[in-house]
Amino acid sequence: MTKIKLSTASYKGARDFPPAEQQKFNFIVDGWKRTARQFGYQEYGLPLLEPIEVYAAKSGEELVNQQTYAFTDRGGRQVAIRPEMTPSVSRLVAQQKNNFTFPVRLFSVANFMRYERPQKGREREFWQLNIDIFGDDTSLADLELATLAYEMMAQTGAKPEMFKIRLNDRKLIDAVLIGKMGLESEVAYRLTKLLDQKDKIAPEEFKKGLEEFCPATEDQTFLLELLNFNEPGQLPPALADFPEAQTLVQVLAQLPKLGITNAEFDFGLMRGLDYYTGLVLEVFDTNPANPRSLGGGGRYDGLVGLFGVEPVVAVGMAFGLSTFWNFMEGHGLLPEQQANPTVAILALDGQILPAVQLAQKLRQAGIAAEVDGSERKLDKRLKAITKKRINHAVFVGEKEVESGKFTLRNLADSKQDQLLPDEIVASLQ
Ligand code: AMP
């Protein structure tokens, strides 16, 4: 028989999370969930697979044709591993329309797959926090989205100068490109894709595209002026009176009154996905070593209605774990590996059952306990336990079992006491 040797590498673009990494993952996700709950959002869960048409309807060509993991299942159904949550959560809202009380605030933390070229901050399997309000068409929802984006960052301990919130509005983009410049909507659509790529492609390529989609030089000049505008908290004067700019004007004026001073207008912000209908935003690290967006979203009023119910307005956004992690790591906001709260119970002289009984007693009192039954030398066993960052050990040997008192050792200072099981529990609590 030939001997096979399997590779230990994870699937390309997908990450393994050994315990030390999973601890950081949990730290980030716990912060997200805590903040979402503070704003009144409720957690939900949804399947990994959806019928492909759920994405084909609105997510955008690139995502559906080039990036989904799509296949035919054994029953002949065309399905895709979810590349994003927004269509699925819209499906849930359409399905639960009669059970939900609107406006409804929902969040989830889940994994997704997109067939992208893996690079820093871009993976094929990645994790996102998705957070959405359904059924609120007032400006509160737009303001809350921007506030939430800020709080998701601030709760990590991040200072305002470490990140930026960029804002734009899809209606305003259309008002400029279609309304003011008179571009066909198809050309305007392709121009938005170009504007979206501005900082990712070579300047010559951008210039060439601009000339193709927007031939009038005065339009090109106007667009470049809009793109280069960077007065914090303001809109370019040429846009401030557009009726389509009023949500932005309002949100930009309100945020400083909530102590949020790092939000700014960015006409180059398009968001890659097609379903946005109003305000759009993205959060960026100010550290140039982490250039990809940490999160983004906006208003998307048309998705729920695709599922055959009366339309429900929506705003929402997604934060990505990879870039968020890079942000926290880069700014020193991820904690060092934490101590392990488990207590190690060492069976000596073959006293396995009494050691297991003691562990059972500790667990019943809410203390995590693991039993070490190995027959190696005591110093080796203690070294291994220290390496696991465990701070307390209890010895269960023949003498201890006879006397009913066990040695509890604090491994940090090597102090130890002979204690009854109840005293051990009290001391550890
Ligand atoms: P999107 O779903 O494309 O609107 O992206 C929202 C956020 O998810 C982005 O800002 C990223 O932080 C994250 N994200 C999207 N695609 C990926 C990916 N392939 N790998 C890692 N993070 C991603």
Side-chain angles (χ1 to χ4, degrees):
M1 208 167 73
T2 47
K3 220 170 143 195
I4 50 167
K5 184 166 173 273
L6 299 172
S7 164
T8 59
S10 61
Y11 170 68
K12 183 172 174 174
R15 242 207 277 189
D16 294 327
F17 292 94
E21 297 296 289
Q22 186 68 34
Q23 205 174 74
K24 293 180 191 167
F25 175 108
N26 291 349
F27 183 83
I28 295 172
V29 168
D30 288 349
W32 285 349
K33 291 189 174 182
R34 201 171 43 243
T35 309
R37 293 198 176 104
Q38 267 177 346
F39 276 73
Y41 289 75
Q42 289 180 296
E43 191 167 7
Y44 63 87
L46 288 169
L48 189 61
L49 295 178
E50 289 280 355
I52 184 86
E53 62 264 21
V54 165
Y55 307 105
K58 276 276 174 171
S59 295
E61 219 177 292
E62 188 192 17
L63 190 68
V64 178
N65 296 340
Q66 296 166 30
Q67 296 180 346
T68 47
Y69 282 77
F71 59 94
T72 310
D73 77 5
R74 291 175 197 275
R77 296 171 200 88
Q78 292 283 323
V79 293
I81 298 178
R82 61 186 171 202
E84 57 157 334
M85 194 58 108
T86 310
S88 306
V89 68
S90 300
R91 180 177 66 68
L92 179 75
V93 170
Q95 175 206 99
Q96 295 291 320
K97 215 171 158 221
N98 297 329
N99 297 328
F100 283 161
T101 309
F102 292 96
V104 62
R105 289 176 164 80
L106 299 172
F107 81 92
S108 65
V109 175
N111 52 342
F112 302 88
M113 293 194 82
R114 293 183 195 172
Y115 198 78
E116 295 198 66
R117 189 166 67 78
Q119 49 196 301
K120 195 167 180 228
R122 271 276 172 273
E123 290 155 312
R124 288 186 174 167
E125 183 185 23
F126 60 97
W127 293 77
Q128 281 184 347
L129 162 74
N130 275 265
I131 183 155
D132 299 85
I133 315 176
F134 289 89
D136 188 336
D137 59 1
T138 71
S139 65
L140 166 77
D142 302 284
L143 180 64
E144 181 162 313
L145 194 69
T147 316
L148 247 176
Y150 180 85
E151 279 312 318
M152 281 298 162
M153 302 303 298
Q155 58 87 21
T156 65
K159 300 274 176 300
E161 60 274 15
M162 294 177 183
F163 66 99
K164 264 205 166 73
I165 301 171
R166 296 196 189 143
L167 298 160
N168 197 2
D169 196 305
R170 275 282 173 89
K171 284 200 190 87
L172 181 62
I173 298 166
D174 284 349
V176 171
L177 303 186
I178 300 173
K180 183 173 160 44
M181 297 182 176
L183 302 181
E184 294 285 331
S185 61
E186 176 56 27
V187 177
Y189 175 77
R190 290 170 61 198
L191 181 55
T192 61
K193 295 286 166 195
L194 178 77
L195 299 180
D196 189 49
Q197 293 291 313
K198 180 171 176 281
D199 296 327
K200 295 174 199 147
I201 59 178
E204 310 78 58
E205 197 183 332
F206 179 72
K207 193 160 174 276
K208 208 172 124 224
L210 198 59
E211 281 163 4
E212 182 189 339
F213 299 129
C214 182
T217 33
E218 65 199 62
D219 286 346
Q220 288 175 21
T221 313
F222 185 61
L223 271 186
L224 290 173
E225 266 172 31
L226 294 183
L227 289 170
N228 292 330
F229 179 86
N230 62 355
E231 286 289 324
Q234 287 183 29
L235 277 174
L239 296 185
D241 292 333
F242 274 65
E244 296 84 355
Q246 295 321 300
T247 305
L248 273 177
V249 169
Q250 205 178 352
V251 169
L252 284 169
Q254 287 166 332
L255 289 176
K257 295 180 183 153
L258 295 162
I260 300 173
T261 51
N262 55 356
E264 58 184 50
F265 172 72
D266 178 359
F267 194 72
L269 177 73
M270 296 292 148
R271 304 283 300 128
L273 301 160
D274 283 354
Y275 42 67
Y276 292 106
T277 53
L279 184 94
V280 285
L281 64 75
E282 269 186 37
V283 182
F284 287 90
D285 192 342
T286 48
N287 176 2
N290 187 25
R292 294 185 174 278
S293 88
L294 304 178
R299 184 171 276 285
Y300 55 100
D301 288 344
L303 271 188
V304 177
L306 294 177
F307 295 93
V309 295
E310 280 291 297
V312 178
V313 298
V315 299
M317 69 186 154
F319 276 93
L321 185 89
S322 334
T323 44
F324 207 90
W325 184 311
N326 293 342
F327 172 83
M328 290 183 71
E329 202 156 55
H331 291 283
L333 299 168
L334 273 182
E336 288 298 309
Q337 226 182 318
Q338 291 144 16
N340 183 341
T342 310
V343 176
I345 317 260
L346 279 79
L348 311 176
D349 323 316
Q351 298 294 318
I352 298 280
L353 183 63
V356 171
Q357 284 170 327
L358 183 61
Q360 195 179 39
K361 187 168 173 70
L362 295 192
R363 292 181 198 126
Q364 280 162 357
I367 297 163
E370 66 173 48
V371 181
D372 178 305
S374 78
E375 285 170 2
R376 284 180 299 167
K377 288 211 173 93
L378 189 60
D379 64 328
K380 288 237 166 73
R381 295 168 72 180
L382 287 174
K383 254 194 203 144
I385 288 163
T386 310
K387 219 171 147 193
K388 291 187 191 174
R389 295 175 180 263
I390 287 178
N391 282 335
H392 292 95
V394 183
F395 303 121
V396 180
E398 257 169 36
K399 260 195 351 239
E400 280 88 351
V401 173
E402 238 161 68
S403 69
K405 282 194 164 189
F406 303 90
T407 310
L408 170 66
R409 184 187 295 195
N410 182 329
L411 298 172
D413 57 15
S414 296
K415 284 202 181 124
Q416 57 184 49
D417 287 308
Q418 301 290 120
L419 300 172
L420 292 166
D422 283 337
E423 294 170 330
I424 293 177
V425 167
S427 157
L428 291 170
Q429 275 168 342

